[in-house]
């Protein structure tokens, strides 16, 4: 098996700053550094994992356990304090669909902009444009500014662009919590299709039944520690216990 | 199953400005977005970018040229000929610098929503800001050239090349400082105030309003040399040389060694600041996502 994601002993501490102002920082220095300007929060403790190509892995844990933080390290948005993260091929984060969308641009402009943000070339976007619009069921509204879209249309278009980037690794974070019923069903169907095609998936979701259907492996995070890594049924059972 | 032939690589470790060049399609789209959002296809918006510098120019011209008597006239034989063009050719360059640096300094914080969710070369944002400012520079250049032609402009090839060089010097400087302050601004949001101050100083610390000879007379050789190390001074002088001088009888003296020494020096200073900006940016960018 070829490794798609390799996470080796990563640690992450967040510095919670109490000031973002030079003025206050200087006052603090002048007053003889009374009190702490920052606190540290250990969000990931010595996390290691290896995910093979074609695996569908669920990342489970309570709120604040560090799931999103781990995904951000895999996508490269964050870098660890120590340890290493390595990935093979292109990684696409469906961490928040529509992050690169701009309300004052048309759907068409947004497809191009977001496609490029997610790493597609001009030719790839041109080639897949019709397919993107079709999947999103946007039709003739593609040249309307997205601020006039319903939230369903907006999400469909954003999701459609993201799945059309055709990456090797998909990171899916709670996107299934947004949007209406039909949209969610469509997303889930698409994600299952990707899993069946042998894409590498890392999925975060509170819907344990859903992840049991999509994933075969589950990783449990508890306050930044990996507490379980194994078959999904066991992971879900451990979490529910 | 899609088996990748690529090697394992560390995500989120960018290639800096070189990476921006590789993602130039995205850069183009970011610039276009900025322009589209600003003007929303409105003619008025576009017109505005001509009106604003025009008004600024007229105000300065009347206040400084007429009231303070810097314009050459029968009553003021010591003034500069075509002071309006002298002033304007410097102002357009300073406008470019101000807008480029101001927007580049805010670009990382302003695009925070994107930066903390998706990895992309973050240098794109300051570079796009400078690029957008270069687009805004264009209508001002049109007005300047129009005024020059009206005043009988006859530039040589060398003079035009000097203007291009001056523009490049200022563009590099704005990019370098933009990277620096764009990154610092994430950690200290009030560093914008510092940039504002810097911009004000930049306007007065280069011969935009006055002639370089006044500085040389007052400061003496040593301090005048220091003054010339400011790349904006060299940029502005190159614009005077290209746009203003060919509308006069050409008798006004250039700062000594402008082309042979000071242009290359300014290019080096700007490149050095660009390097410092890039290095600082790369040191700080690892924690952008969590600080934004
Ligand atoms: N940028 C940040 N700065 C400081 N603390 C953060 C930041 N991002 C996340 N955290 C903290 O790290 C912990 C883990 O967050 P997160 O990874 O979002 O959890 P999850 O996705 O599992 O709910 C939380 O306690 C959160 O408050
Ligand atoms: Mg989360």
């Amino acid at each position: 098996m070829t490794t798609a994601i390799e996470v080796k002993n990563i640690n992450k501490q967040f510095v919670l700053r109490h000031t973002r102002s030079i003025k206050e920082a200087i006052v603090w220095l002048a007053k003889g550094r009374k009190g702490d300007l920052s606190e540290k929060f250990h969000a990931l403790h010595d996390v290691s994992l290896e995910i093979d190509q074609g695996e569908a892995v669920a990342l489970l844990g309570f709120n604040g356990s560090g799931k999103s933080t781990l995904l951000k390290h895999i996508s490269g948005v964050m870098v660890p304090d120590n340890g290493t993260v390595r990935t093979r091929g292109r990684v696409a984060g469906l961490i928040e669909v529509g992050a690169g969308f701009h309300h004052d641009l048309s759907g068409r402009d947004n497809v191009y902009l977001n496609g490029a943000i997610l790493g597609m070339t001009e030719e790839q976007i041109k080639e897949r444009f019709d397919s993107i619009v079709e999947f999103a069921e946007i039709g003739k509204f593609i040249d309307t500014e997205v601020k006039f879209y319903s939230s369903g249309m907006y999400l469909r278009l954003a999701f459609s662009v993201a799945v059309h980037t055709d990456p090797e690794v998909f990171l899916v974070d709670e996107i299934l919590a947004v949007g209406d019923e039909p949209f969610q069903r469509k997303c889930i169907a698409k994600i299952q299709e990707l899993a069946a095609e042998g894409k590498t998936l890392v999925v975060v979701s509170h819907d344990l039944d859903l992840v049991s259907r999509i994933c075969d492996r589950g990783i449990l995070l508890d306050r930044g520690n990996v507490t379980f890594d194994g078959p999904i049924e066991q992971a879900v059972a451990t979490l529910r216990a | 199953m899609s088996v990748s032939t690529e090697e394992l690589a560390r995500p989120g470790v960018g290639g800096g400005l070189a990476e921006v060049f590789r993602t130039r399609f995205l850069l183009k789209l970011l610039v276009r977005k900025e322009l589209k959002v600003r003007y929303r296809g409105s003619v008025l918006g576009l017109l505005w970018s001509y009106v604003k510098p025009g008004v600024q120019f007229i105000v300065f011209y009347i206040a400084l040229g007429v009231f303070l008597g810097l314009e050459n006239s029968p009553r003021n034989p010591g003034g500069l000929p075509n002071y309006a063009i002298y002033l304007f050719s410097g102002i357009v360059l300073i406008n470019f610098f101000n807008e480029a640096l101001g927007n580049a300094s805010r670009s990382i914080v302003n695009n925070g929503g994107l930066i903390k969710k998706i990895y992309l070369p973050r240098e794109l944002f300051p570079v796009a800001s400078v690029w957008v400012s270069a687009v805004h520079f264009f209508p001002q250049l049109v007005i300047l050239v129009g005024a020059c032609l009206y005043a009988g402009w006859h530039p040589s090839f060398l003079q035009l090349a000097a203007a291009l060089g001056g523009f490049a010097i200022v563009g590099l400087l704005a990019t370098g400082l933009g990277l620096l302050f764009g990154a610092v601004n994430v950690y200290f949001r009030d560093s914008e105030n510092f940039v504002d101050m810097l911009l004000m100083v930049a306007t007065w610390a280069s011969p935009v309003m006055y002639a370089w000879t006044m500085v040389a007379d007052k400061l003496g050789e040593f301090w005048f040399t220091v003054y010339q190390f400011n790349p904006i001074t060299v940029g502005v002088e190159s614009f005077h040389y290209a746009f203003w001088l060919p509308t006069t009888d050409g008798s006004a003296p250039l700062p000594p060694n402008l082309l042979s020494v000071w242009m290359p020096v300014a290019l080096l200073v700007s490149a050095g600041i660009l390097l410092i900006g890039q290095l600082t940016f790369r040191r700080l960018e690892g924690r952008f996502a969590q600080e934004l």
Side-chain angles (χ1 to χ4, degrees):
Chain A
M1 271 308 208
T2 331
T3 309
I5 303 169
E6 177 205 79
V7 176
K8 259 196 202 154
N9 310 98
I10 65 166
N11 277 286
K12 185 67 180 183
Q13 290 201 352
F14 288 124
V15 183
L16 308 171
R17 277 172 222 283
H18 297 313
T19 180
R20 292 195 189 278
S21 127
I22 300 175
K23 205 175 73 189
E24 283 174 30
I26 290 174
V27 169
W28 174 77
L29 279 176
K31 283 188 176 163
R33 310 187 186 203
K34 274 201 210 85
D36 262 338
L37 260 198
S38 60
E39 275 167 55
K40 286 196 169 164
F41 175 79
H42 214 143
L44 292 177
H45 284 274
D46 198 32
V47 170
S48 295
L49 45 99
E50 209 163 287
I51 295 174
D52 285 332
Q53 280 188 338
E55 269 193 296
V57 179
L59 213 51
L60 305 172
F62 298 114
N63 271 340
S65 56
K67 305 181 296 291
S68 299
T69 304
L70 182 54
L71 285 191
K72 284 179 180 175
H73 279 80
I74 297 172
S75 72
V77 167
M78 288 183 180
V79 287
D81 297 338
N82 48 50
T84 55
V85 177
R86 295 196 300 164
T87 54
R88 197 190 305 274
R90 205 162 49 167
V91 179
L94 299 186
I95 289 181
E96 201 153 324
V97 283
F101 267 50
H102 202 291
H103 283 260
D104 291 319
L105 296 181
S106 69
R108 182 184 302 272
D109 287 341
N110 269 308
V111 168
Y112 272 87
L113 182 59
N114 226 37
I117 285 172
L118 294 173
M120 279 197 265
T121 64
E122 189 170 7
E123 293 72 35
Q124 285 170 334
I125 301 173
K126 279 199 181 120
E127 201 182 283
R128 298 170 196 169
F129 188 83
D130 292 337
S131 168
I132 291 172
V133 177
E134 196 191 298
F135 181 85
E137 299 168 35
I138 293 294
K140 62 180 192 302
F141 293 107
I142 191 65
D143 287 309
T144 307
E145 289 170 30
V146 299
K147 66 179 165 208
F148 299 120
Y149 283 18
S150 69
S151 64
M153 288 163 76
Y154 183 86
L155 285 168
R156 284 203 304 273
L157 188 60
F159 183 80
S160 180
V161 175
V163 292
H164 278 85
T165 54
D166 192 32
E168 257 104 337
V169 179
F170 263 107
L171 310 175
V172 184
D173 191 358
E174 308 272 13
I175 54 153
L176 309 172
V178 292
D180 50 11
E181 262 297 315
F183 169 69
Q184 289 192 6
R185 263 203 306 277
K186 191 161 185 170
C187 289
I188 293 164
K190 186 70 193 177
I191 287 167
Q192 283 175 319
E193 191 186 311
L194 292 168
E197 279 172 19
K199 297 277 183 202
T200 311
L201 294 178
V202 184
V203 182
V204 172
S205 173
H206 282 300
D207 188 339
L208 297 181
D209 293 325
L210 174 70
V211 293
S212 310
R213 264 189 289 144
I214 299 175
C215 307
D216 6 79
R217 175 176 162 197
I219 295 172
L220 223 58
L221 273 180
D222 181 19
R223 277 162 284 176
N225 295 288
V226 175
T227 52
F228 178 85
D229 184 351
I232 185 72
E233 297 79 20
Q234 254 172 282
V236 169
T238 315
L239 188 69
R240 280 190 170 140
Chain B
M1 186 175 148
S2 53
V3 174
S4 173
T5 48
E6 284 175 65
E7 292 299 303
L8 277 173
R10 290 170 62 190
V13 181
L17 287 169
E19 188 102 10
V20 172
F21 181 74
R22 275 195 291 282
T23 52
R24 56 192 178 278
F25 172 57
L26 177 52
L27 178 65
K28 190 176 90 181
L29 292 180
L30 287 172
V31 169
R32 198 182 288 166
K33 176 200 87 176
E34 204 52 44
L35 295 170
K36 263 196 188 168
V37 169
R38 190 153 339 167
Y39 298 127
R40 307 243 172 96
S42 87
V43 185
L44 212 67
L46 206 65
L47 199 68
W48 202 233
S49 57
Y50 289 81
V51 171
K52 234 173 101 182
V55 170
Q56 183 190 21
F57 162 64
I58 290 168
V59 169
F60 284 163
Y61 171 67
I62 294 174
L64 299 170
V66 181
F67 296 166
L68 288 179
L70 292 164
E71 167 83 39
N72 175 286
S73 67
R75 271 185 301 146
N76 178 24
L80 290 162
N82 287 343
Y83 181 69
I85 289 176
Y86 182 87
L87 188 60
F88 198 50
S89 52
I91 281 180
V92 294
L93 195 62
I94 287 286
N95 279 347
F96 165 62
F97 179 74
N98 282 6
E99 193 194 320
L101 179 52
N103 289 347
S105 302
R106 284 184 290 270
S107 64
I108 301 296
V109 171
N110 285 351
N111 287 288
L114 191 53
I115 289 170
K116 65 182 175 191
K117 284 169 198 148
I118 297 172
Y119 174 73
L120 66 175
R122 285 100 178 201
E123 282 89 352
L124 275 167
F125 299 107
V127 172
S129 298
V130 173
W131 199 289
V132 167
S133 308
V135 174
H136 288 157
F137 168 78
F138 185 74
Q140 304 180 44
L141 185 68
V142 169
I143 291 184
L144 174 63
V145 167
C148 287
L149 288 173
Y150 183 76
W153 189 44
H154 49 87
S156 69
F157 179 75
L158 183 65
Q159 284 167 324
L160 292 179
L164 209 62
F167 185 74
I169 286 167
V170 171
L172 287 178
L173 182 70
T175 310
L177 291 174
L179 285 169
L180 181 71
F181 287 109
V184 170
N185 208 17
V186 174
Y187 297 83
F188 292 110
R189 300 292 158 88
D190 54 352
S191 67
E192 272 178 28
N193 299 336
F194 189 77
V195 174
D196 287 341
M197 201 172 67
L198 194 81
L199 293 177
M200 188 191 70
V201 173
T203 311
W204 290 95
S206 48
V208 180
M209 311 284 182
Y210 47 81
W212 68 269
T213 45
M214 300 174 186
V215 184
D217 291 347
K218 288 269 185 324
L219 289 186
E221 200 173 331
F222 174 75
W223 288 108
F224 183 61
T225 305
V226 173
Y227 179 82
Q228 281 184 299
F229 268 103
N230 175 4
I232 301 176
T233 296
V234 178
V236 167
E237 272 314 323
S238 78
F239 266 46
H240 288 157
Y241 174 57
F243 296 103
W244 169 71
L245 198 65
T247 66
T248 67
D249 58 12
S251 61
L254 273 182
N257 307 323
L258 176 67
L259 299 182
S260 56
V261 176
W262 290 108
M263 291 274 292
V265 165
L267 211 54
L268 278 178
V269 172
S270 286
I273 288 175
L274 183 64
L275 187 69
I276 293 170
Q278 167 77 94
L279 292 176
T280 314
F281 193 91
R282 295 202 66 175
R283 271 193 77 94
L284 297 180
E285 78 166 332
R287 289 193 354 241
F288 280 176
Q290 71 208 57
E291 299 285 346
L292 281 164

